[in-house]
Amino acid sequence: MNGLGNQIIVVDMRGRADRVTPAAAIAINGTEGTRFDQIMAIHDPRTPGTANYIEIINSDGSRAQACGNGMRCVVQVLTAEQGAQRFTFETVAGLLFGEAQADGMITVDMGTPKLAWYDIPLAEEFADTRKIELQIGPIDAPVLHSPSVASMGNPHATFWVADDVWSYALERFGPMLENHPIFPERANISLAQVVAPDKIILRTWERGAGLTEACGTAACAAVVNGARTRRTARAATVTVPGGDLHVAWRDDDHVVLTGPAEREWTGTLDPATGAWVRDEVAA
Ligand SMILES: N[C@H](CCC[C@H](N)C(=O)O)C(=O)O
């Protein structure tokens, strides 16, 4: 599937106790035709009142705590299967709610942002995470500096840029910043250009996945960070390379993400090895 070009593999792990292994993820990503950004594994529920437990695996085999585009894909699969429109899911980061809208768009409630330095987490204390000391490039003329940081379950750094987000070599700076010692659990790195209080252009280097066409949690973090630095309103359209996402940071502190999800093809996967076969499509 894809969520605005964010490549997502939804794996049905219901009714079984095993997990998608890091080795399987790496093998699947190493095969032409199945390169992906995240795997969303749908497991049986662990907590009463939830529909499913969802595990999220990056293409390097590492686990992620949150994935906004992937959650929309999960909602679309389950809506198509069950007809239900609303779901409560559990992830390692807590409960999430998803809803299929009448127009085909899908909304996910990504929960509340965490803004304290130890929750993101950062390696050292910063009283104010709206602007932390971190820069890249020449000391007296940094190319990128002073990001706002936030956790949407997963760690994000939003670098505010005045110029076109495409004018920065994110493929070069992304890996350095993702692995910077200030981020003990690494981080997703975004470049954000605010073009109006309700419009942000965003490019993201994802932790464990690299450059992607879209990153839902990064869009959420950008609006949270935009609003708390008075750069944006609490609701904005976030234009990512794959298209537009809508984010609202509600008054109850929950961040709600709306966008499309698209099914591409189906097949059968061995979650231990990553071996897969594509379903035959009837002519
Ligand atoms: N593509 C995802 C984010 C994946 C995050 C992952 N790269 C990490 O935190 O390790 C999204 O739509 O929110």
Side-chain angles (χ1 to χ4, degrees):
M1 299 189 72
N2 76 84
L4 281 186
N6 202 188
Q7 299 297 328
I8 306 288
I9 302 178
V10 178
V11 183
D12 184 2
M13 296 294 285
R14 291 172 295 185
R16 50 195 293 167
D18 56 335
R19 300 165 78 193
V20 178
T21 64
I26 292 164
I28 299 162
N29 195 52
T31 317
E32 200 57 52
T34 49
R35 286 200 206 297
F36 68 94
D37 300 318
Q38 276 80 40
I39 289 174
M40 309 296 290
I42 305 180
H43 289 266
D44 290 328
R46 295 185 183 175
T47 303
T50 61
N52 297 98
Y53 187 87
I54 311 292
E55 264 208 336
I56 307 164
I57 304 131
N58 286 317
S59 50
D60 72 352
S62 65
R63 308 227 163 223
Q65 303 96 330
C67 177
N69 292 323
M71 288 312 300
R72 293 203 314 279
C73 293
V74 168
V75 170
Q76 205 204 63
V77 166
L78 296 178
T79 297
E81 177 193 86
Q82 301 168 12
Q85 312 251 286
R86 284 189 192 178
F87 300 88
T88 301
F89 301 109
E90 186 180 8
T91 69
V92 66
L95 298 187
L96 293 179
F97 308 94
E99 184 174 2
Q101 310 286 354
D103 63 359
M105 287 287 142
I106 293 163
T107 298
V108 281
D109 175 345
M110 300 299 295
T112 59
K114 303 283 176 294
L115 306 173
W117 69 274
Y118 46 82
D119 279 331
I120 289 165
L122 300 177
E124 57 183 91
E125 179 171 351
F126 278 94
D128 187 351
T129 57
R130 287 177 297 185
K131 185 177 178 183
I132 69 161
E133 227 170 278
L134 173 62
Q135 63 174 52
I136 203 154
I139 286 193
D140 47 355
V143 182
L144 295 171
H145 64 93
S146 315
S148 304
V149 293
S151 169
M152 286 306 312
N154 54 351
H156 287 274
T158 313
F159 284 87
W160 306 104
V161 296
D163 303 328
D164 184 354
V165 292
W166 293 97
S167 67
Y168 297 85
L170 187 55
E171 66 290 349
R172 201 147 56 79
F173 301 130
M176 293 184 221
L177 291 164
E178 172 193 359
N179 294 293
H180 192 283
I182 193 75
F183 301 119
E185 294 178 16
R186 304 188 283 157
N188 297 286
I189 305 298
S190 294
L191 305 180
Q193 185 190 18
V194 177
V195 290
D198 62 352
K199 194 161 170 43
I200 301 173
I201 301 174
L202 194 76
R203 270 180 87 201
T204 302
W205 173 271
E206 282 192 25
R207 172 179 73 166
L211 287 177
T212 59
E213 287 292 292
C215 180
T217 45
C220 294
V223 173
V224 167
N225 285 331
R228 70 197 185 104
T229 57
R230 309 239 176 276
R231 288 180 167 91
T232 69
R234 287 176 72 101
T237 299
V238 183
T239 301
V240 298
D244 284 355
L245 290 165
H246 189 77
V247 177
W249 186 15
R250 291 190 322 219
D251 290 339
D252 66 359
D253 200 26
H254 283 236
V255 183
V256 177
L257 170 73
T258 301
E262 187 181 23
R263 184 187 283 244
E264 295 181 9
W265 53 276
T266 56
T268 305
L269 175 76
D270 180 337
T273 64
W276 55 274
V277 280
R278 196 167 166 149
D279 287 343
E280 304 261 346
V281 181

